[in-house]
Each structure stands twice: as structure tokens, then as C-alpha cells.
């Protein structure tokens, strides 16, 4: 039986009406060239494929996976996992429910929004002027949350509940393997924050519709912004997307590389909070989504966060002799407020660093 339900607060309609999910039946509001321009970004310098290191691929069933997990967090802050134990049936059930929602009439979708903070969003991301070519559902996953604004809430609620339970357990397993490899005495030092009843974890479904008015490369040197560049403020993020490309990650030299899609695997990235807890050993990677002018894309992301009153600081057991803590201690509530009151691309950890030149 499912134990979670979700509640959104209906308010004003969103800025634009988007297409239905079916490309054959899609219709869109005609957009002016000036309106489309705001969704474009200039392409960063390209990556030489001969020098681009491959995204780490980790088989969770292999005995060397703990070592590879830590290495990937230190080198990239991002990796793909296979043999994760989550059934395709669980994934497909949620994707089917999400597809039904995003292919619903616009007015019906808007009854589940706008997000304040939870609910349906359309193009406007956050409260600081960021925009993207995206529709989304942002859901609270606490047991006492309520959601009764969908057309068939019981079906959606069960699919989300089963999926979130599965990916949270996988995330906790990964975090415990990391703690083992780091030789931490408390194997649950990271995972217990996600398992806590007051964990401030959230779940997000992003839908990037095609944009018929825009042809790729129509604006010289530009790409259509689906979701602007950012790091995730939580501890860990678990991403699953369909087989449409669009996700890009930033390398240390500032170049952007496309992540090949894989609908049967999961992508994991380190969040800001885990970077702090490891005193910068693990890297919170900057990433973004470039939308497609012809194909839709859907992604589902579990953001594993600590309780609001949890103090976030480098673990003493990870500080080597005479090693300085690089960050000031803060609560997750303080950091969350700071992060969500800034623009996506802002260096959110900057004001919490003690020695910014060392990061």
C-alpha cells in the first residue's frame, strides 16, 4: 500500500501554454523571436573528444564498486550506475503517470500549480528570474504530505511512492559504500540523514517539450536552455531520464560535455552539502540541460536532503592532521534559504567558504 500523498496550491496560470507530450498532436502558442531569445545561451568552448575523460560507469554488484564510487566523487562528482536493483516496471509505471500528466490540457495542469514551493511549474524556475524551456512537478516526499489536485491522485501517488522508496534505498546504499571506503567509523553518517523522518528530500519530474519555432543552430552559437547551469544543494541527487539527450556537465576547465542518455541506468551527482561534509574531497558538479527543438525529454530526479535543523560541516574524522575546515558550519535550513534565494548559476557555497582561494 502507498503511504504518501502530495498537495499543491492552485493559483494563477503560468506564462505560456506548452505542447502536448505527443509530438504528432502537439500545438504551441506562437512565440516571438524576442521571446525565444531569452531561452538561448551561448555555447561554451567545445571539448576535444580525444581529451575528454569518459563519465565513470560503476557496476554496483562488483567488489571494486566502493573504491570506484569514491574516485568518481573526487574526480567528477558525477557517475552512472548499473545493476542498481530497481525494476524497469517501477520506473515505467511512474513515467507513464508523468506522461499522462504532462499531456493533459494546460488548464488542468495549472490546477496543480504554481509551485510555492511544491506544485506544477512552467518555464519560470525559482523566484529569482531564471527561466528554461521546461515544465515540471516538484513534490514533497514526507509521509504527511498531501496531494489531491491531480486528475487521478491515487495512481500517481502510488507510482511516486514506490519509485522514491526504491531510489532512496539505492542512494543510501551508495552513501554507505562511500563511508566504508572513506574508513568512517559510522557507516550511516550520510545515509541516516536521508532516512530520518524529517529528511528534507524532494522529488522532481522535468518535461522538456519540443520547440517547433526553433531549429537547431538557428541562432548562431546558441542552444535552447532547458534548465540553466547550477549545482544541487542537497547531499546526493539520483537522476533517471528517457533516451533523449540534453544533460550536460561542466568539466574543471569550464568546458561543457553532453551526457549520453541511458534510460535503464541512473546518474548520480554529489550535492553541495556532501562536498562540505567531505571538506571538498567530493565535488558538487555544475550541470545544465539543453532542450531539443524537435524531441521531448523527460527526467525524474530524487534530491536526498538532510533535516532542516541538521548542522552541515566537514566531518572531523575526515580532517587530516592540521587540515583546516574549508567551510563555516551551517544548518541545512540556512543553506537552503540562501541557495533558493539566489540565481541558479550563483556560487552558492561561496559565502560559506572560509578560504575561498583553496577551493
Amino acid at each position: 500500500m502507498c503511504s504518501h500523498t502530495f498537495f499543491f496550491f492552485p493559483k494563477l496560470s503560468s506564462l505560456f501554454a506548452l505542447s502536448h507530450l505527443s509530438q504528432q498532436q502537439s500545438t504551441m502558442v506562437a512565440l516571438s523571436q524576442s521571446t525565444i531569445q531569452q531561452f538561448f545561451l551561448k555555447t561554451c568552448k567545445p571539448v576535444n573528444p580525444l581529451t575528454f575523460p569518459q563519465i565513470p560507469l560503476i557496476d554496483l554488484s562488483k567488489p571494486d564498486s566502493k573504491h570506484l564510487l569514491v574516485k568518481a566523487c573526487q574526480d567528477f562528482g558525477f557517475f552512472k550506475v548499473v545493476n542498481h536493483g530497481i525494476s524497469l516496471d517501477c520506473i515505467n509505471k511512474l513515467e507513464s503517470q508523468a506522461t499522462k500528466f504532462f499531456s493533459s490540457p494546460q488548464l488542468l495542469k495549472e490546477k496543480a500549480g504554481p509551485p510555492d514551493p511544491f506544485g506544477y511549474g512552467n518555464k519560470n524556475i525559482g523566484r529569482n528570474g531564471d527561466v528554461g524551456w521546461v515544465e515540471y512537478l516538484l513534490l514533497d516526499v514526507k509521509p504527511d504530505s498531501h496531494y489531491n489536485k491531480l486528475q487521478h491522485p491515487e495512481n500517481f501517488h502510488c507510482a511516486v511512492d514506490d519509485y522514491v522508496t526504491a531510489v532512496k534505498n539505492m542512494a543510501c546504499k551508495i552513501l554507505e559504500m562511500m563511508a566504508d571506503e572513506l574508513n568512517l567509523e559510522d557507516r550511516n553518517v550520510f545515509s541516516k540523514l536521508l532516512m530520518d523522518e524529517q529528511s528534507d528530500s524532494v522529488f522532481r519530474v522535468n518535461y522538456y517539450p519540443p520547440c517547433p519555432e526553433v531549429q537547431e543552430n538557428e541562432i548562431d552559437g546558441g542552444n535552447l536552455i532547458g534548465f540553466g547551469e547550477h549545482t544541487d544543494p542537497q547531499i546526493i541527487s539520483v537522476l533517471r531520464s528517457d533516451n533523449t539527450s540534453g544533460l550536460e556537465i561542466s568539466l574543471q576547465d569550464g568546458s561543457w560535455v553532453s551526457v549520453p542518455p541511458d534510460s535503464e541506468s541512473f546518474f548520480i551527482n554529489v550535492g553541495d552539502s556532501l562536498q562540505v561534509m567531505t571538506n571538498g574531497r567530493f565535488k558538487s558538479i555544475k550541470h545544465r540541460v539543453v532542450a531539443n527543438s524537435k524531441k521531448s525529454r523527460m527526467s525524474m530526479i530524487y534530491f536526498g536532503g538532510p533535516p532542516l535543523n541538521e548542522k552541515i560541516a566537514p566531518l572531523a574524522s575526515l580532517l587530516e592532521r592540521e587540515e583546516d575546515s574549508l567551510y563555516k558550519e551551517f544548518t541545512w535550513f540556512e543553506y537552503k534559504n540562501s541557495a533558493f534565494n539566489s540565481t541558479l548559476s550563483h556560487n552558492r557555497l561561496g559565502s560559506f567558504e572560509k578560504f575561498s582561494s583553496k577551493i
Side-chain angles (χ1 to χ4, degrees):
M1 295 292 293
C2 297
S3 58
H4 295 183
T5 53
F6 305 92
F7 178 70
F8 298 153
F9 306 91
K11 286 187 180 177
L12 299 176
S13 63
S14 49
L15 184 60
F16 299 110
L18 294 181
S19 65
H20 285 187
L21 199 57
S22 168
Q23 294 182 37
Q24 289 75 19
Q25 300 176 352
S26 64
T27 58
M28 289 203 53
V29 173
L31 302 179
S32 68
Q33 188 71 2
S34 61
T35 299
I36 292 174
Q37 284 275 5
Q38 70 176 312
F39 295 103
F40 270 79
L41 56 83
K42 289 297 180 182
T43 305
C44 295
K45 65 178 181 179
V47 175
N48 182 341
L50 297 177
T51 61
F52 168 55
Q54 294 300 308
I55 293 167
L57 171 62
I58 299 174
D59 185 337
L60 293 181
S61 68
K62 295 293 182 64
D64 63 347
S65 57
K66 291 192 296 184
H67 170 73
L68 295 177
L69 285 171
V70 169
K71 179 173 173 53
C73 290
Q74 292 174 337
D75 295 347
F76 265 91
F78 182 85
F79 52 92
K80 180 168 78 170
V81 295
V82 296
N83 284 326
H84 44 71
I86 299 177
S87 72
L88 285 178
D89 183 60
C90 177
I91 297 170
N92 292 337
K93 282 182 178 179
L94 178 54
E95 185 173 59
S96 175
Q97 290 298 319
T99 297
K100 289 178 183 178
F101 175 81
F102 288 113
S103 60
S104 299
Q106 189 66 24
L107 291 178
L108 187 60
K109 289 184 287 188
E110 287 172 358
K111 289 182 179 179
D116 56 352
F118 302 111
Y120 168 75
N122 182 348
K123 290 194 172 67
N124 292 308
I125 302 172
R127 60 187 75 162
N128 304 294
D130 288 299
V131 296
W133 194 258
V134 62
E135 294 181 78
Y136 61 90
L137 280 173
L138 185 61
L139 311 176
D140 187 3
V141 295
K142 289 188 177 66
D144 58 351
S145 301
H146 298 283
Y147 180 47
N148 57 7
K149 297 301 180 183
L150 287 182
Q151 198 170 22
H152 301 289
E154 66 283 353
N155 295 337
F156 199 85
H157 135 230
C158 285
V160 170
D161 185 66
D162 292 344
Y163 181 88
V164 167
T165 297
V167 296
K168 179 175 72 171
N169 288 338
M170 178 182 66
C172 288
K173 174 184 176 181
I174 289 172
L175 290 170
E176 289 168 7
M177 294 168 71
M178 292 175 182
D180 271 347
E181 182 65 19
L182 291 171
N183 296 316
L184 299 178
E185 185 175 344
D186 182 1
R187 186 172 185 266
N188 303 322
V189 64
F190 304 128
S191 62
K192 66 184 179 183
L193 302 179
L194 275 59
M195 298 303 296
D196 193 295
E197 289 184 358
Q198 298 303 312
S199 168
D200 189 41
S201 298
V202 296
F203 180 64
R204 184 180 189 112
V205 184
N206 287 334
Y207 168 60
Y208 303 92
C211 183
E213 288 90 347
V214 178
Q215 295 298 318
E216 292 182 49
N217 301 319
E218 182 177 349
I219 298 180
D220 185 42
N223 282 314
L224 185 66
I225 300 172
F227 210 106
E229 62 182 76
H230 64 285
T231 60
D232 295 338
Q234 292 88 352
I235 294 171
I236 192 171
S237 303
V238 180
L239 164 74
R240 185 269 173 187
S241 66
D242 60 21
N243 282 318
T244 301
S245 62
L247 177 63
E248 298 184 348
I249 59 173
S250 177
L251 302 182
Q252 292 184 2
D253 64 359
S255 58
W256 290 90
V257 296
S258 179
V259 177
D262 183 347
S263 63
E264 296 185 4
S265 303
F266 286 89
F267 294 91
I268 314 292
N269 64 274
V270 171
D272 296 345
S273 296
L274 187 56
Q275 176 172 316
V276 171
M277 295 179 75
T278 60
N279 205 37
R281 285 172 172 76
F282 290 2
K283 309 301 182 185
S284 181
I285 193 168
K286 186 172 287 188
H287 52 286
R288 69 186 185 190
V289 174
V290 175
N292 194 303
S293 65
K294 299 177 183 178
K295 293 179 64 179
S296 66
R297 178 177 183 269
M298 185 181 293
S299 62
M300 306 184 294
I301 314 102
Y302 168 76
F303 299 97
L308 289 174
N309 62 357
E310 183 69 29
K311 293 181 179 179
I312 307 297
L315 299 175
S317 55
L318 283 179
L319 294 178
E320 299 176 358
R321 183 178 299 179
E322 298 184 0
E323 180 182 355
D324 290 323
S325 168
L326 300 179
Y327 303 93
K328 308 168 188 174
E329 183 179 88
F330 52 85
T331 66
W332 168 240
F333 177 80
E334 291 171 331
Y335 189 61
K336 180 180 178 180
N337 273 354
S338 173
F340 288 98
N341 280 299
S342 63
T343 58
L344 282 176
S345 61
H346 181 71
N347 177 17
R348 294 163 167 173
L349 279 176
S351 58
F352 296 89
E353 295 171 0
K354 287 183 177 179
F355 313 102
S356 58
S357 63
K358 294 186 179 182
I359 301 298

